[in-house]
Amino acid sequence: MSLPPQLRKVAPTVWELPVSYKDGMLVPARIIATEGLLAGMEAGVFEQTANVACLPGILKYAYCMPDGHWGYGFPIGGVAAMDPTSGVISPGGIGFDINCGMRLVLTTLTEEEVRPRLRQLVDLMFARIPTGVGCTGFVRCSRSEFRQVLEKGSHWCREKGYAWPEDLEMTEEGGCFGGADPDAVSDKATLRGFDQIGTLGSGNHYCEIQVARPENIFDAATARSFGITIPNQVVVMFHCGSRGFGHQVATDYLQSFLRVMTTKYGIQLPDRELACAPFRSPEGQAYFAAMKCAVNMGFANRQVILYRLREVFSQIFHRSPEELGMRMVYDVAHNTAKLERHLVDGTLREVLVHRKGATRAFGPGMAGIPACYRETGQPVIIGGSMETGSYLLAGEAGAAATFFTTAHGSGRTMSRHQAKKMVRGQKLLGEMEQRGIYVRTDSWGGLAEEAGFAYKDIDLVTAATEEAGLSRRVVKLVPMGNIKG
DNA sequence: ATGTGC
């Protein structure tokens, strides 16, 4: 595939499309990638990042991260910071799965201890953590109780005994975005979401047993600070979001914005999928308040999954979760919009940062991250494909360039449809088992869609974020067992 | 991603 001729290299890992590239661009578009990753990007990534640069109030640049690929409106990997006074909020810049994110949990077990009981462990995980489209959880939640979940996120979990106090500290924003308003949420969204707390879902959502092997440690001091202290230490990583609830919130407000964007606010954009409303408008504020409900639902969802996970490990290894050292390293979202303070042209100001398939990566010394990570920078959890491995990174000062944002995962290289044509789920499962990875799934087609070859090389993506100064590699985590929807 | 497609 040929790159747009207007694309200019402005730094070894920064590629820029000028405002002259497309009518309506207000700022240049910047792709963060190595030459190799850039060459593999779909044409849609350049078009969509340039489209994002047309959104009213966008500051500095429209960005796409090295794992970027084609998405709804924005590319997945898209980052856009808006002036909250004159700018817009766009659901396409956050994604349908609001607060899709990653959580990483430690154990003090080693690969040698877990390997003999791996099948038993993964089987019990699969039995206790609901997976698949439309799955529901064990938490019984009335409508009024669900409002509490939406307002409080992980705090609700703590009140109900599903969280350790320290879990909240180890969650981005303490596991709760303030200002969530359940009245901004449709009944339809509530109806889809109230029974989905503590469920994994489908697609690329999974829960994985991983091992930190000594040869995969890049930064030993930071690894120690993050709790990786034992050779061949076993950890658990999982990836999921706000399920049908967040999806319905996104759908509701995309429709609402499409009705008013042009007629009421006179906004013209190159793509309907960029539907947006002025951030300060009633519609924009309602979406922001509803989006925060979905963010909090996502945090609560991952917290209840952790509660179940602790039960599962405790049952298999006959020790309490505390004795098994099942502490959280961190929980970090990659589909949100948030008001943050950033330096823009030398002035510290409040901006609305959209991150869609992009992870907040606060660097060393910054406020807003747990005190224990103040010197290292924020842990960044990057999920790879279930075959190739994942990474734990640390936020770097250089991420100031991207409003303190880095990549979120591998990024697809082919469509789900294409992947499914190339491999059968049963065959893939057999091959993975040969390589010591035990997988349980309730969808063979879904498994095939997640094959390693359908994703960019996670080693190259994380190396690119390091070269760009956004985040540094701490440890690569290799899969042992996986449950997926 | 998603009661997978109005």
Side-chain angles (χ1 to χ4, degrees), chain A residues 229-291:
Chain A
T229 55
I230 309 166
N232 301 323
Q233 188 169 347
V234 168
V235 298
V236 188
M237 180 181 286
F238 56 96
H239 176 219
C240 62
S242 54
R243 309 279 289 104
F245 179 77
H247 191 276
Q248 190 61 47
V249 169
T251 304
D252 290 340
Y253 280 93
L254 276 166
Q255 283 170 2
S256 139
F257 286 8
L258 277 171
R259 281 194 297 270
V260 296
M261 178 169 75
T262 312
T263 53
K264 189 168 168 188
Y265 296 112
I267 299 168
Q268 303 273 6
L269 291 168
D271 183 359
R272 273 170 58 88
E273 293 184 357
L274 291 174
C276 63
F279 181 61
R280 294 291 180 215
S281 70
E283 295 86 355
Q285 286 297 296
Y287 170 63
F288 194 46
M291 183 215 74

Side-chain angles (χ1 to χ4, degrees), chain A residues 42-60:
Chain A
E42 310 149 277
V45 170
F46 305 107
E47 291 317 307
Q48 290 193 317
T49 311
N51 289 344
V52 171
C54 302
L55 286 167
I58 188 165
L59 298 165
K60 300 301 289 183

Side-chain angles (χ1 to χ4, degrees), chain A residues 51-225:
Chain A
N51 289 344
V52 171
C54 302
L55 286 167
I58 188 165
L59 298 165
K60 300 301 289 183
Y61 305 99
Y63 282 104
C64 186
M65 295 293 118
D67 52 338
H69 57 111
W70 187 86
Y72 182 92
F74 280 55
I76 292 155
V79 182
M82 307 312 187
D83 180 332
T85 311
S86 65
V88 296
I89 186 164
S90 175
I94 292 146
F96 277 91
D97 190 8
I98 297 165
N99 193 9
C100 189
M102 307 291 308
R103 185 172 287 218
L104 184 66
V105 184
L106 298 167
T107 77
T108 46
L109 297 162
T110 64
E111 181 177 11
E112 293 72 19
E113 290 170 286
V114 171
R115 189 65 71 183
R117 285 189 252 186
L118 182 63
R119 293 182 81 93
Q120 217 188 333
L121 180 65
V122 172
D123 286 344
L124 190 61
M125 264 166 54
F126 191 64
R128 301 287 286 171
I129 301 168
T131 60
V133 179
C135 63
T136 55
F138 74 92
V139 176
R140 293 291 155 253
C141 201
S142 68
R143 268 175 111 81
S144 63
E145 193 68 43
F146 192 61
R147 288 176 68 93
Q148 297 289 305
V149 176
L150 303 185
E151 280 176 19
K152 297 179 183 170
S154 296
H155 294 269
W156 177 85
C157 299
R158 186 180 160 184
E159 288 169 15
K160 298 293 168 189
Y162 299 127
W164 298 353
E166 66 172 70
D167 295 342
L168 276 61
E169 197 192 334
M170 295 305 162
T171 305
E172 182 176 346
E173 296 293 313
C176 179
F177 278 24
D181 180 5
D183 288 334
V185 167
S186 70
D187 288 347
K188 201 173 175 183
T190 295
L191 212 61
R192 282 182 71 171
F194 80 98
D195 58 356
Q196 292 189 320
I197 301 166
T199 64
L200 210 46
S202 65
N204 62 358
H205 290 166
Y206 63 85
C207 179
E208 190 167 88
I209 315 276
Q210 303 171 337
V211 53
R213 301 214 172 101
E215 67 267 27
N216 289 330
I217 291 180
F218 289 77
D219 174 346
T222 305
R224 272 195 301 279
S225 298

Side-chain angles (χ1 to χ4, degrees), chain A residues 385-414:
Chain A
S385 82
M386 60 191 176
E387 291 189 81
T388 47
S390 300
Y391 274 83
L392 183 55
L393 313 179
E396 287 274 57
T402 54
F403 301 96
F404 287 96
T405 308
T406 189
H408 85 304
S410 293
R412 297 195 77 87
T413 55
M414 64 178 73

Side-chain angles (χ1 to χ4, degrees), chain A residues 291-416:
Chain A
M291 183 215 74
K292 288 169 169 178
C293 290
V295 165
N296 292 342
M297 156 66 183
F299 284 137
N301 188 28
R302 291 197 288 274
Q303 186 58 51
V304 172
I305 289 175
L306 172 57
Y307 171 81
R308 285 293 249 212
L309 204 56
R310 283 172 172 156
E311 282 187 344
V312 166
F313 270 74
S314 197
Q315 196 174 325
I316 298 291
F317 293 99
H318 309 294
R319 272 180 278 169
S320 72
E322 289 84 356
E323 288 168 327
L324 292 167
M326 296 189 71
R327 292 163 39 220
M328 279 179 62
V329 176
Y330 208 51
D331 177 307
V332 64
H334 49 233
N335 283 6
T336 64
K338 196 155 48 162
L339 285 169
E340 295 174 355
R341 293 184 76 78
H342 291 279
L343 265 179
V344 181
D345 298 326
T347 309
L348 194 62
R349 55 183 286 191
E350 190 171 62
V351 300
L352 178 70
V353 187
H354 294 69
R355 297 188 178 96
K356 189 227 198 127
T359 313
R360 192 194 73 175
F362 281 180
M366 288 178 70
I369 59 178
C372 60
Y373 302 140
R374 206 53 62 76
E375 283 177 27
T376 56
Q378 172 204 312
V380 173
I381 306 161
I382 301 279
S385 82
M386 60 191 176
E387 291 189 81
T388 47
S390 300
Y391 274 83
L392 183 55
L393 313 179
E396 287 274 57
T402 54
F403 301 96
F404 287 96
T405 308
T406 189
H408 85 304
S410 293
R412 297 195 77 87
T413 55
M414 64 178 73
S415 70
R416 299 182 169 279

